[in-house]
């Protein structure tokens, strides 16, 4: 029979292991869009090749994987009327930045939209506040938050340019 002290230690280790296990996975959310028109695509299957997990986009083209462990993954989308799209070396990591940079307003869905642009303008020109997550605010990955980050947001939102992935 184990002593009470050993049982307490084992219980504490089990609790820590459960916390680490749940903390090393995070939700991954994104939007699948037509690469030419930019229109979100509904009912598209999104698959993580390494895990075999798959999900389907909703009516707004949004997909969600509830718990993806830290690591590098290959995501593939497929829909009967479209050429499959494969995104390799997608990093899933804990931290404040998820997916791509630019979520300046800290939207829990990690959506980069006009609200982020508005906050960036307010911060740069009027002394407003932005997210406490530096990695989200440093949109161009230059190690500073400045007018270049604003330009990347404008190019992304209005001209369809890409936006950098969160730093590793």
């Amino acid at each position: 029979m184990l002593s009470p002290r050993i049982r307490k230690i084992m219980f504490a280790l089990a609790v820590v292991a459960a916390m680490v296990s749940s903390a090393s996975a995070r939700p991954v959310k994104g939007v699948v869009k037509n690469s030419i028109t930019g229109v979100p695509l509904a009912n598209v299957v999104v698959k993580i090749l390494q895990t075999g997990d798959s999900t389907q986009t909703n009516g707004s083209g949004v997909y969600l994987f509830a718990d993806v462990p830290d690591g590098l993954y290959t995501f593939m989308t497929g829909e009967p009327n479209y050429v499959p799209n494969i995104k390799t070396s997608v990093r899933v990591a804990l931290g404040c930045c998820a997916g791509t940079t630019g979520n300046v307003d800290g939207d829990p869905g990690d959506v980069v939209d006009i609200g982020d642009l508005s906050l960036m303008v307010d911060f740069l020109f009027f002394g407003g506040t932005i997210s406490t997550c530096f990695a989200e605010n440093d949109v161009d990955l230059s190690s500073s938050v400045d007018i270049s980050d604003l330009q990347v947001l404008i190019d992304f939102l209005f001209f369809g340019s890409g936006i950098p992935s969160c730093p590793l």
Side-chain angles (χ1 to χ4, degrees):
M1 184 153 178
L2 298 175
S3 74
R5 182 171 184 232
I6 296 294
R7 276 186 273 174
K8 285 180 185 176
I9 292 171
M10 289 179 70
F11 177 75
L13 289 174
V15 169
V16 168
M19 289 169 41
V20 167
S21 148
S22 65
S24 63
R26 67 173 299 127
V28 173
K29 183 177 182 180
V31 179
V32 176
K33 296 180 181 180
N34 179 302
S35 63
I36 296 171
T37 65
V39 174
L41 300 173
N43 303 316
V44 175
V45 174
V46 179
K47 184 174 184 176
I48 302 175
L49 298 183
Q50 287 81 354
T51 66
D53 293 338
S54 64
T55 188
Q56 195 168 14
T57 60
N58 66 16
S60 301
V62 175
Y63 65 88
L64 174 67
F65 290 96
D67 291 307
V68 180
D70 290 358
L72 284 175
Y73 295 96
T74 301
F75 285 72
M76 184 174 82
T77 59
E79 205 274 328
N81 298 323
Y82 292 89
V83 174
N85 186 12
I86 298 175
K87 297 281 184 186
T88 59
S89 299
V90 175
R91 171 158 299 278
V92 174
L94 294 174
C96 63
C97 191
T100 62
T101 62
N103 183 18
V104 178
D105 63 3
D107 180 284
D110 197 40
V111 175
V112 178
D113 57 20
I114 198 73
D116 300 296
L117 181 64
S118 176
L119 279 179
M120 183 65 81
V121 167
D122 191 43
F123 171 75
L124 291 171
F125 299 106
F126 304 105
T129 59
I130 51 178
S131 166
T132 57
C133 179
F134 179 80
E136 288 285 6
N137 303 327
D138 181 22
V139 184
D140 66 352
L141 305 177
S142 67
S143 300
S144 66
V145 179
D146 56 24
I147 196 78
S148 298
D149 299 298
L150 179 62
Q151 184 63 52
V152 172
L153 281 175
I154 291 170
D155 288 348
F156 172 72
L157 292 169
F158 297 104
F159 303 107
S161 297
I163 196 161
S165 296
C166 291
L168 302 178

